[in-house]
Amino acid sequence: MKPNLKNNPILSRIVLMCFFIISIPLSAQQIKYTDGNDSWNPNQLGNHRAVVVFSGTGAVAKTTIEWRRRDENPDQKKIIIQDATGKEITNLKTVNITRESGTIFFEPVSGQTTYYVYYMPYIDEGDANYPKGVYAKPEYKADAQWLAKIKTAAADNTTVQEIQSVNAFNSYYPMEVIATAAETQDIIAKNSGSSFIVFPEDRLNSIRMKNDLPQRWIQKGIQNTFADTALKGEYLAFQLGVYALQDITNLKVTFSNLISNNGAIIEAKYLNCINTDGTRYDGSVFANTVSVSKGKVQAMWCGIDIPQTTAAGTYTGKAVVNCDGKTKEITLQIKVTNEVTQNGGIDFPEKMTRLKWLNSTLAQENTVIAPYIPLVVKDTEISLLGRKLVLGSNGFPVQIQTFFTPEMTSIGTKPNDILTAPAAFHFIDAAGKESLKWKNSGLKFLKKEAGTVSWESSSTSQALQMDVTGSIEFDGFVSYAVKITALEDAVFNDINFHMPLQSSASKYMMGLGQKGGDRPQTFDWKWDVAHKNQDGAWIGNVNAGLQFSLRDEKYSRPLNTNFYLQKPLLLPSSWGNENKGGITITPNQKTVLVNAYSGNRTMKKGDVLYYNFNLLITPFRKIDTDFQWNTKFYHKYSNLDTIAQTGATVVNIHHANAINPYINYPFIEFKKMKEYIDEAHQKGLKVKIYNTVREVSNKAYETFALRSLGHEIYSPGKGGGFSWLQEHVGDDYIAAWFVPEIKDAAIVNSGMNRWHNYYVEGMNWLTQNVGIDGVYLDDVAFDRITMKRIKRVLTKDGHPGIIDLHSANQYNKSDGFNNSANLYMEHFPYINKLWFGEYFDYEKNNPDFFLTEVSGIPFGLMGEMLQDGGNPWRGMVYGMTNRMPWSHNADPRPIWKLWDTFGIKGSEMIGYWSENCPVKTTNEKVLATVYKKNGTALISIASWADADVKVKLNIDWKKLGINPAKATITALEVANFQPAQTFTAKDEIPVAKGKGWLLIVK
């Protein structure tokens, strides 16, 4: 089911409001701009045409079309002419094709009738989901005899009736119909004493063009007043279009109070300009400087957040545009009606009411999120769920401990030490010695809150001062800012940071170009941000580990997935040190030493370096096996009765369907979405939707308001892609995912910005008003601050807030050779399930890869498999199945049935990685995991052997809690998995290559 504008009155009405297509001319000379109602194939003819009527005689029709095009070089684009039957006319000749107008001669083969002039036909090259729109070049097919009949000086013998776009969404009217050069020069001449001109514009006509004035502004003339009507409680957006007559800098808009005739006041604090002022995604102050080059247009989007208590009446005040000491005042006349709107009017996003969300601080306070517990400080020890951090007087960790059992199903009392000695910086002088003698100020706690504990310490030597600020949050995220200041000129052979790790807590490794799995015996890595999205790694065991990330004060989150190379990491000037830095990992008898070195350098007196780093203490929580057995995802928009019959409990609604058509903008068909979710809830099903940050649909109402913010929301790029983007966004963007069936063309987000505030508010609105039960994340382009906020709003008021994270394997050139689990580990505390993913190889990789990169178990998570349906035998060793019905062979129902027959809910999962596992096989490459209950157990075995093998089970019957004399071992028939069979404890069990068994022991 695909959305269709023609059959969708709600969407049609909204689009018409947004793009305001009308057919009534503003003046006698105004060409009509109309909606073609999808009456031609744009893939063959383009999105735009002129409708002309031939009224002359003879074999030559002449038409001059005042099309006022915003595209550059129209003379280099093909023109196609058809008659009313669709017959193409090959005899045509063009003259004086410019952006303002074009003259075309053609043969009127059907006589005095209507002809269609298509003037921007394109060819979609490239991949279906990443198209490359290329505009067809002119073709000259006219025969010489007909060309000889043309008299260029002849008068036009056609009437241009209208200019049509294939549909309303593709229209250029009114904001992309350009003013002519003469009109523009005239208005410049009339304002020769000014450095800029201001054009007020309402919220329904987004300013779209940077390089041209719209004809609309010429026709309206310069206005010094902006008038509009608003409801009580509404956020009323409007625009001030600034046209620079010379280069201008530091463009600002300030506001006066708005005062009614009765003296009522809307205070100036309720007015703001989103281009220059607001709140960042992390709650800090946003203040931006706007500059405009000569001849360019800058939209300044402003808003009035009208209090609900405002008395009805007409309010008057000033918006003052300030630039380089010069000002322009616009009188604001806002009529506030008696009607009260709810939610600030955000239920009507086509009115731009949700621009207010860009400055939201919703869910910003760092309150503890379940299942985590408040931090507890005792002396220099900080305790959190399943873990403990012990600090030294210099502020660095003396010890880090976890208390998770090897099975990862519970938290015990026995500590698992991660460090063998305190973590510490070392400053090596030119002689190769560590000669600095430090005086330490001692540890001082700055904040002791349930969600955050922070501290500081300062150490001083003759040559350096080291100021340390650290913090830990309730989920195990530790952040350090380490400021090194030179008190005198100094030369260093190296500045390094050592983390001496217990060998028991460094069995596995992932990151720094290393695939997840067993840690190499020795390891040597150098910075390479141009090619690799890596600034740290995870080292650990199943129940104890650390991820570290090395950064400086200029860290900026890079783009991820296919876009990393277009915005890579910034090399930290401290750790990277012009690529002299790196990391070695070296074991000895007592420790595994992580040495993050930065190499030789000279510091002048007063120089400052920031050796910042982050740690994540893993695992984050114990695994929730019952959630895994109870929560069965169905990953497709489908009939709810059909889904319920499968045994699935949660429906994942991807994008590109009837209720969630547009990628990462689930607000257009929300009424249909709510109807579906309400019905699902009645049938006992939960519904989650696809909605993430990385790219956003071009159907977003706010597209051009966001474009006005420069590169804050959208990444800079080469443009291109689908025709709509080229024709309306123009340039300087990265084209992202495209759905050809509904022509949904996304644009890449730029990283950490105020769109994340909008995203949090949007999730809250969908939870409270539409009833979503969570979100499906398809890779993640935001950081843990936004993830925490998302989890808070999704779980507010008792909503389940289920989050599952999908990722394609990031270990490739385009993605910077990162590991999905390493890349997204900061989000794992708030994820309920993993789905890793496309390009993960479940056949050729070893168990250590499954454990670290796929299963989620060392981090307190469980997962599912995707690529080619996964390997069901190996998956069950980690409690994983595939997810229906995404892959053609993804049908976990037979395994679900076995779960129910055995009664897996409530069982104790004891993985092969635990020394407490009561079952092993006689082949080290055939692994066994046990799901234990009173008097019975389910044994999952899977083979990584290179050939078919036979194994015996070595069973610790006492640990298993079963009397061997009475035990039976049964393999129930599971479709596409195993035949029915019985075994004894002494039998050799045949295990096919890459397969295994599920055996019930009673």
Side-chain angles (χ1 to χ4, degrees), residues 11 49 349 413 602 619 717 754 778 820 941:
L11 189 53
R49 73 183 184 185
T413 56
T602 299
R754 287 181 295 163
D778 185 0
S820 294
I941 65 173

Side-chain angles (χ1 to χ4, degrees), residues 314-333:
T314 299
Y315 290 76
T316 303
K318 298 287 184 183
V320 182
V321 182
N322 305 274
C323 184
D324 301 329
K326 296 184 179 180
T327 62
K328 174 69 175 176
E329 290 188 354
I330 302 296
T331 299
L332 304 178
Q333 292 181 345

Side-chain angles (χ1 to χ4, degrees), residues 155-304:
D156 284 12
N157 54 10
T158 61
T159 304
V160 181
Q161 283 198 328
E162 56 197 272
I163 289 179
Q164 289 188 332
S165 54
V166 67
N167 52 40
F169 190 68
N170 278 276
S171 177
Y172 282 141
Y173 187 81
M175 298 306 293
E176 295 172 275
V177 179
I178 69 168
T180 66
E183 291 165 345
T184 302
Q185 284 304 122
D186 181 62
I187 207 164
I188 291 172
K190 290 177 179 176
N191 293 271
S192 58
S194 302
S195 57
F196 60 91
I197 309 171
V198 178
F199 296 92
E201 187 56 77
D202 68 52
R203 56 188 172 178
L204 295 184
N205 288 310
S206 294
I207 297 170
R208 297 176 168 212
M209 300 187 296
K210 296 182 295 184
N211 301 322
D212 293 278
L213 296 176
Q215 182 192 24
R216 169 182 168 88
W217 289 353
I218 303 299
Q219 292 170 330
K220 287 174 62 177
I222 293 180
Q223 306 284 315
N224 295 318
T225 299
F226 174 77
D228 208 340
T229 300
L231 309 181
K232 295 180 179 181
E234 185 175 17
Y235 181 81
L236 176 66
F238 64 94
Q239 306 164 85
L240 298 174
V242 176
Y243 181 57
L245 303 182
Q246 61 187 49
D247 291 349
I248 56 178
T249 57
N250 199 28
L251 187 61
K252 292 278 186 183
V253 184
T254 57
F255 305 93
S256 71
N257 291 341
L258 305 182
I259 304 173
S260 75
N261 295 334
N262 297 327
I265 296 175
I266 299 174
E267 294 181 54
K269 68 180 181 181
Y270 293 111
L271 289 82
N272 89 309
C273 175
I274 65 169
N275 299 77
T276 55
D277 301 288
T279 305
R280 296 185 186 276
Y281 82 97
D282 60 0
S284 62
V285 172
F286 173 86
N288 185 42
T289 299
V290 176
S291 299
V292 191
S293 299
K294 180 180 179 180
K296 303 293 184 181
V297 177
Q298 171 66 49
M300 304 294 281
W301 276 89
C302 306
I304 310 172

Side-chain angles (χ1 to χ4, degrees), residues 304 402 468 847 952:
I304 310 172
T402 73
V468 177
K952 287 186 176 182

Side-chain angles (χ1 to χ4, degrees), residues 674-693:
K674 186 177 190 311
E675 290 174 3
Y676 185 88
I677 291 174
D678 288 347
E679 181 185 350
H681 289 168
Q682 292 170 6
K683 298 180 186 300
L685 296 169
K686 292 182 173 64
V687 180
K688 298 163 52 262
I689 67 165
Y690 182 113
N691 186 29
T692 185
V693 169

